Amino acid sequence: MMRSLNLDVRLVCLVLAAAIMLCLFGALFIGPTSLGFAATLEGLFGLGDPVTQMIVQELRLPRLILGVAVGFSLGVSGAALQGLLRNPLADPGVVGVSASAGLGAVIAIYFGVAMGFQFAIPIMAMGGALIATLALFALASRDASVLTLILAGIGINAMATALTSLAFNFAPNPFTLQDMVMWMLGSLQNRSFTDIGLAGPFMVGGWLLMFGVGQGLAALSLGEDAAQSLGIDLRRLRLKVVLGTALCVGAAVSVCGAIGFVGLVVPHLARYLIGFSPRHLLLPSGLLGGLMILLADLLTRLPFWHTDLRLGVVTAVVGAPFFLYVVVRTRGAMR
Amino acid sequence: MSSPLTHIQAEQVSVRLGHAQILRDVSLTLRSGEVLGLIGPNGAGKSTLLRALLGLVPCEGCVSYDDVPLSDIPLAERARKVAYAPQGAPVHWPLSVAALVGLGRVPHQTPFQPMSAQDQAVVDRVLEAADCAHLKDRTVLSLSGGERANVMLARAMAVEAPFLFADEPVASLDPYHQLVVMETLQQEAARGTGVVVVLHDIALALRFCDRLCILNEGQVAYDGRAREVPTDLLERVYRVRAQAEGGGAKPFVPWERL
């Protein structure tokens, strides 16, 4: 049976935040170009050699900040969705927003729009996420049932995946196909502060929407009737979680492609640390997500890969076995 | 109790779910300090009536709390006025009993407010009252059906609302714990709480309830003192021949089908 260490939430959050800061700082010194400790620090503060400054400030720093923000978004969304759907297998992919954002990006690459306009991929990906969210609400808004929401999400997800496969199938040339596939595998490579400026406000908007929902999700542990009798407005709760997820995940996918398993695995890790109540799960899940992406990104930058290792591949390769381990450990607890 | 409430009134309440008419022109007044037993055969509309009184199901007619229409009372305020232990409620995560009962304090907290010492004291009191203090550190999913029913009742009691609705709280309990639950509900009523309890055990209803409301086919067949309910009415509603034994409490023993 799955156990929990039942650690103090504040302590866990503090330790995770400190670990993120430490990894973030340490990762500034790692990259294909060896810069040295002093030169990297100088570059960080805008001193010394301009090339070093450029590498540290415009290549490494935004990549790391974006990684933390994306991981935080995926972690918070995963925890909120698992709480809302009361399903430990739920992740941001369930509502179809990730796949739709991916489809938007694939369309931008397929039609060559991305060649002429630098921000075509993130903008079209966000458009895809927006359309998916509107479709989700159109399909599920009249019925407050969670089942309708899941089914609508699965339908949208399947539709977006099917159209993405169609784009792969009819790719005009092998290079376009490779671009589309590589983009779908997720990466933080060459991301700039412009990408952060583009996706950041949407992610922050999503976080803000979701941060008051812990209490409602905890009450929902008792079922919808009991939660409503405890004063929880279910429609509002659902709106906040779904819209918050759409904003966060749509923005995350739009700037770094599809990164799977983080939103699924991270809430389970958080439960192991602090306990099962959905009430306090959001912040630790976000921090764990940020840390996980930072570490996974570091792994992609290790010097011994002969080819470009994509971030989404690392999170899936590490996340899937871990997820199976969680399933084995929770067999008794999640009846 | 933070939100005083002396009576809840249902006037001509009708509920239709899909094509089925579940309740038809039900009028009923609930008063604080009494145990009202809501009884009737399966499908009579007992649970639906509770849900209508809580505003959980759309209905025609009027439900009011102290003469204020329910629709004019915000959700959070309603939650402080009526506590509800639904029938066979699920628990979706392996929470500890203490954490689950603590959810009863949600209506009194802001979204980011942790459990206060006062909340903790209330949780301890209701765990003791519902005879489940010894289960406090157990995981809900490790409890037996009966233990879980007790804990769910304790969760509703933790709201400390002026009214408490319990839907079949003794359905899965052994005779000892049935008596514990009914005595607990009586004690709550003695503290001034208006208790509405849905029961299938007519003997328990006759013995522990001050008042009985018998629902049959979505309509009120009887609303009055528990001790004065006519045995032939019970026989007609439940379609059983009964043997009424003893004196004052008139235990109702179903004997054979009519």
Side-chain angles (χ1 to χ4, degrees):
Chain A
M1 179 178 286
M2 186 73 174
R3 282 184 293 273
S4 171
L5 299 176
N6 286 314
L7 300 174
D8 182 74
V9 181
R10 282 163 295 186
L11 179 73
V12 168
C13 289
L14 273 176
V15 170
L16 287 173
I20 286 175
M21 294 308 288
L22 201 69
C23 281
L24 211 147
F25 185 70
L28 277 177
F29 300 92
I30 299 170
T33 314
S34 182
L35 298 175
F37 185 78
T40 307
L41 272 186
E42 281 178 3
L44 179 64
F45 294 107
L47 304 168
D49 177 33
V51 176
T52 307
Q53 279 183 43
M54 196 271 288
I55 291 174
V56 176
Q57 289 187 346
E58 291 175 33
L59 289 177
R60 293 186 185 175
L61 191 59
R63 175 184 188 140
L64 297 173
I65 292 174
L66 192 63
V68 174
V70 165
F72 192 89
S73 296
L74 294 173
V76 170
S77 304
L81 275 175
Q82 289 185 6
L84 181 75
L85 305 179
R86 286 158 281 157
N87 187 336
L89 299 177
D91 84 333
V94 166
V95 287
V97 174
S98 306
S100 303
L103 175 64
V106 162
I107 290 172
I109 299 170
Y110 184 92
F111 288 106
V113 194
M115 302 284 277
F117 178 46
Q118 190 190 354
F119 300 117
I121 291 179
I123 288 173
M124 287 193 65
M126 277 192 225
L130 179 72
I131 290 170
T133 312
L134 292 176
L136 193 67
F137 278 105
L139 288 167
S141 63
R142 288 190 182 174
D143 185 344
S145 113
V146 161
L147 186 64
T148 312
L149 186 70
I150 295 178
L151 292 176
I154 289 173
I156 291 168
N157 197 41
M159 193 77 185
T161 309
L163 291 175
T164 303
S165 303
L166 193 68
F168 289 170
N169 199 153
F170 289 127
N173 57 62
F175 303 109
T176 307
L177 176 63
Q178 189 187 10
D179 281 353
M180 290 190 290
V181 172
M182 289 304 270
W183 192 88
M184 287 300 284
L185 296 180
S187 175
L188 285 167
Q189 210 173 18
N190 299 326
R191 298 305 186 267
S192 66
F193 276 110
T194 315
D195 290 301
I196 295 178
L198 205 62
F202 293 100
M203 289 196 223
V204 173
W207 303 344
L208 291 177
L209 263 176
M210 285 191 278
F211 262 111
V213 303
Q215 190 187 47
L217 296 179
L220 206 51
S221 308
L222 301 169
E224 296 190 356
D225 268 5
Q228 285 187 85
S229 79
L230 288 168
I232 305 301
D233 185 337
L234 287 186
R235 280 182 184 278
R236 210 164 151 186
L237 180 70
R238 207 164 60 118
L239 183 74
K240 281 182 172 180
V241 173
V242 174
L243 200 58
T245 300
L247 284 173
C248 272
V249 178
V253 175
S254 72
V255 285
C256 57
I259 297 173
F261 280 95
V262 176
L264 182 64
V265 166
V266 149
H268 290 280
L269 272 174
R271 284 187 197 103
Y272 177 68
L273 294 174
I274 64 158
F276 286 87
S277 173
R279 183 166 188 159
H280 303 296
L281 213 58
L282 297 182
L283 186 57
S285 295
L287 293 170
L288 271 168
L291 188 62
M292 188 181 258
I293 292 280
L294 262 185
L295 294 174
D297 187 46
L298 269 178
L299 210 59
T300 66
R301 289 153 64 190
L302 291 178
F304 49 77
W305 308 118
H306 297 300
T307 185
D308 179 22
L309 177 63
R310 310 296 281 190
L311 181 59
V313 177
V314 174
T315 57
V317 167
V318 176
F322 179 79
F323 183 69
L324 285 175
Y325 168 75
V326 171
V327 169
V328 172
R329 291 291 299 268
T330 54
R331 274 183 301 190
M334 304 279 191
R335 270 176 300 181
Chain B
M1 283 172 217
S2 54
S3 305
L5 177 65
T6 58
H7 65 276
I8 293 177
Q9 199 158 22
E11 286 172 274
Q12 306 285 306
V13 168
S14 297
V15 175
R16 177 178 277 277
L17 296 177
H19 295 295
Q21 185 79 43
I22 309 295
L23 291 177
R24 222 177 300 226
D25 297 330
V26 171
S27 295
L28 186 69
T29 303
L30 316 177
R31 299 181 201 94
S32 56
E34 72 173 7
V35 180
L36 171 72
L38 195 53
I39 64 172
N42 290 330
K46 305 180 292 293
S47 299
T48 305
L49 177 57
L50 286 191
R51 297 181 77 229
L53 292 169
L54 286 154
L56 298 179
V57 62
C59 66
E60 290 168 28
C62 181
V63 175
S64 61
Y65 290 5
D66 274 353
D67 304 320
V68 179
L70 189 55
S71 53
D72 292 348
I73 305 173
L75 274 180
E77 185 60 25
R78 288 183 204 177
R80 288 188 288 270
K81 290 180 185 293
V82 184
Y84 175 44
Q87 180 185 355
V91 181
H92 293 282
W93 301 105
L95 304 177
S96 72
V97 167
L100 185 135
V101 175
L103 289 175
R105 301 307 294 164
V106 163
H108 303 277
Q109 297 165 339
T110 59
F112 295 104
Q113 194 181 337
M115 286 275 281
S116 66
Q118 190 195 346
D119 291 331
Q120 198 53 59
V122 171
V123 169
D124 291 340
R125 180 187 74 75
V126 297
L127 280 170
E128 200 67 51
D131 195 30
C132 41
H134 60 290
L135 304 172
K136 190 176 175 180
D137 298 320
R138 289 261 299 273
T139 304
V140 179
L141 300 185
S142 74
L143 302 179
S144 71
E147 288 170 332
R148 184 194 277 225
N150 268 1
V151 168
M152 297 310 264
L153 180 64
R155 199 280 302 156
M157 285 161 60
V159 179
E160 290 207 311
F163 276 81
L164 170 62
F165 293 179
D167 196 348
E168 297 197 33
V170 298
S172 50
L173 300 186
D174 60 40
Y176 174 85
H177 284 97
Q178 288 184 11
L179 295 181
V180 169
V181 165
M182 294 311 296
E183 284 165 9
T184 306
L185 292 176
Q186 270 191 329
Q187 285 160 12
E188 284 295 301
R191 296 174 76 236
T193 307
V195 175
V196 181
V197 54
V198 174
L199 290 169
H200 273 300
D201 188 325
I202 303 164
L204 280 180
L206 291 169
R207 183 171 161 197
F208 285 96
C209 298
D210 303 307
R211 208 175 121 213
L212 281 186
C213 173
I214 303 176
L215 278 182
N216 189 31
E217 294 177 350
Q219 290 180 303
V220 176
Y222 177 83
D223 178 12
R225 286 165 63 88
R227 285 162 191 267
E228 291 168 7
V229 58
T231 305
D232 60 333
L233 173 67
L234 288 173
E235 287 186 341
R236 204 167 57 244
V237 166
Y238 282 98
R239 293 182 297 153
V240 290
R241 195 179 311 284
Q243 196 176 49
E245 294 175 339
K250 263 204 319 190
F252 181 89
V253 182
W255 197 247
E256 62 181 342
R257 284 186 291 153
L258 283 173

